[in-house]
Amino acid sequence: MDYSSIPEPVLSVLDSLRKHGHEGHIVGGCVRDLMLGREPKDWDVTTEAKPEEVLAIFPDSFYENDFGTVGVKVVPFQKEGRPDREHDVIEVTTYRTESAYSDRRRPDQVAFVSTLSEDLSRRDFTMNAIALEVGSEGKRDVTIIDPFHGRADIERKLIRTVGNPEQRFGEDALRMIRAIRFFAELHGGNTENGWKIDDSTLEAIRKHAGLLSHVSRERIRDEFSRIILSNSPADGVELLRTVGLLRDIVPELEEGVGVGQNLHHRLNVYEHNLLALRTCPSRKLEVRLAALFHDIGKPKTKRGDGYRSTFYNHDHVGARMTRNLLLRLRFPVAIIEKTVLLVDNHLFYYNVGEVTEASVRRLIRRVGLENMKDLIDVRIADRLGSEVPKAKPYKLRHLEYMVEKVSRDPVSVKMLAINGTDLMKELRMEPGPKIGAVLEVLLSDVIEDPSRNMRETLLARAESLSHDDLPALREKAKEVIEEKREYDDEGIRSRHKVG
Ligand code: ATP
Ligand code: MG
């Protein structure tokens, strides 16, 4: 393990605590990530000092939450995140237990404790219950404090609760989803790489899955979202189902288990939704959710049996179901609206040659230009989820081309630095067709030399034109403009690889 990657600001927080006579350890997810050779997302420090004492030591610090966590602002040091941020935050948490879970929702109160080992014992998994002690400046030696053998579990790739799993899930049922979240993040789409949930931990999850109904929807949402955003979201969702947790989170998905589709599909509805999530080309939460839920309305709308079955209206029924389930899980409005829009429109019709520019404009108006790429990603997931050979056939590339074509401004006299009114005012030209002719000639000039698109230059040129043979010049200009439009169109076509 490479301890030299512990950032300077983290070390200096530890030094300040020490200078004031306190303990300070690096703890939690960042230690696990260091041992895995991954860059930690955030750095947590734990100490016996009370929150008030921590606030007093660090002038630029604030209460992070109600549980006595203090955020210390330090100079930006993390590679990820917004490049323009003014500071990063190191969380300093007082040793504590969360012993009383009378409603199985969240700790009634946090009780501060005096030793590090008590603090480590309240943590969820062995790999998250390791602390590092770093020597003071000049001698930065690192001691690993690992009473629950988390390091050995990391080496064995094992997710295992600290202490008795049944008791730990009884205290806080959210930990069951967390186990699966860590599984989905760590095994990273590669079932061969060996990460698994320890047998007795998994057994306890199966046994106590029903306890999840006591956990607040917001906490479930946060862990569920992290599963969806992980590198193997589909394996995470499938594991949620097989251990019995999914029925409490999204029972609607389970309705598709065993529901056959028709001629065109080998997979049942649930398997198809899951494969669409697995193959979804986007990393966005809304797009992945839409891939997972896109056919969630199929079981309810199924008519007939065997390969003649139909699912009329499943897109709109599915959109309504998606809205309800996301509301139930307390997702933010913006995420709900976007996901519902994508599910609602996932059947959009597009056939090259058959669909006009006007209908592409209508689709863009209905969905929003900013959502077109995401909608196409959902369609790609849908296709890959149906095991069709080509994810992005000519048809979808052609749609992308059409979207760009109808949504960009074509070459026109509107691009000029002057307009008809200027000609009338400055050159005293009469209103009439001559104005249009002059502007078109000016546009062809500008196409050939964009530096001419300046007010004075254009006015001077316009003035000289009134003496020339305008109709002939206009004919030539029209050709130049048409050529330029074709050239631009060629560019968009080749960008989207449509001939
Ligand atoms: P990540 O780096 O992905 O955020 P993390 O391990 O930091 O993972 P957090 O949810 O940020 O996960 O929690 C920080 C630490 O707090 C964990 O490593 C764990 O030690 C402890 N912890 C968090 N939630 C619980 C819980 N429900 N029960 C017990 N300990 C928990
Ligand atoms: Mg964390």
Side-chain angles (χ1 to χ4, degrees), residues 27-30 32-33 40-42 44 96 98 101 122-125 127-129 168 172 174-175 178 181-182 185 219 223 226:
V27 74
C30 56
R32 176 198 68 224
D33 290 344
K41 271 198 301 298
D42 35 44
D44 297 327
R96 62 187 198 209
E98 299 162 14
Y101 289 86
R122 60 100 181 163
R123 293 176 183 267
D124 48 7
F125 303 106
M127 62 182 184
N128 292 342
R168 301 311 309 279
D172 181 5
L174 184 75
R175 291 171 186 154
R178 283 175 61 84
R181 185 259 276 189
F182 285 118
E185 287 181 343
R219 295 179 78 210
E223 295 295 334
R226 296 203 49 173

Side-chain angles (χ1 to χ4, degrees), residues 349-356 393-399 401-402 493 498-499:
Y349 184 72
Y350 191 74
N351 240 345
V352 181
E354 205 178 321
V355 174
T356 59
Y394 181 75
K395 248 164 69 158
L396 287 184
R397 294 203 308 273
H398 195 272
L399 173 58
Y401 150 72
M402 285 285 270
R493 279 178 182 274
V498 301

Side-chain angles (χ1 to χ4, degrees), residues 49-148:
K50 297 291 178 303
E52 306 76 51
E53 298 175 289
V54 178
L55 285 168
I57 294 171
F58 301 97
D60 215 1
S61 62
F62 58 97
Y63 271 115
E64 280 262 293
N65 56 33
D66 302 340
F67 306 119
T69 298
V70 173
V72 177
K73 293 185 193 172
V74 296
V75 291
F77 65 93
Q78 283 176 307
K79 294 194 197 97
E80 303 223 348
R82 291 178 299 116
D84 56 343
R85 67 203 186 284
E86 280 164 20
H87 51 75
D88 278 328
V89 172
I90 294 172
E91 289 192 353
V92 181
T93 304
T94 308
Y95 298 157
R96 62 187 198 209
T97 63
E98 299 162 14
S99 48
Y101 289 86
S102 53
D103 65 352
R104 293 210 170 82
R105 278 175 160 259
R106 35 176 92 244
D108 301 334
Q109 75 218 32
V110 295
F112 295 134
V113 295
S114 53
T115 66
L116 174 66
S117 66
E118 284 173 277
D119 180 272
L120 292 179
S121 68
R122 60 100 181 163
R123 293 176 183 267
D124 48 7
F125 303 106
T126 59
M127 62 182 184
N128 292 342
I130 311 171
L132 298 181
E133 189 176 311
V134 187
S136 51
E137 233 177 326
K139 189 169 179 289
R140 295 288 195 204
D141 54 333
V142 173
T143 312
I144 301 173
I145 301 153
D146 182 17
F148 304 104

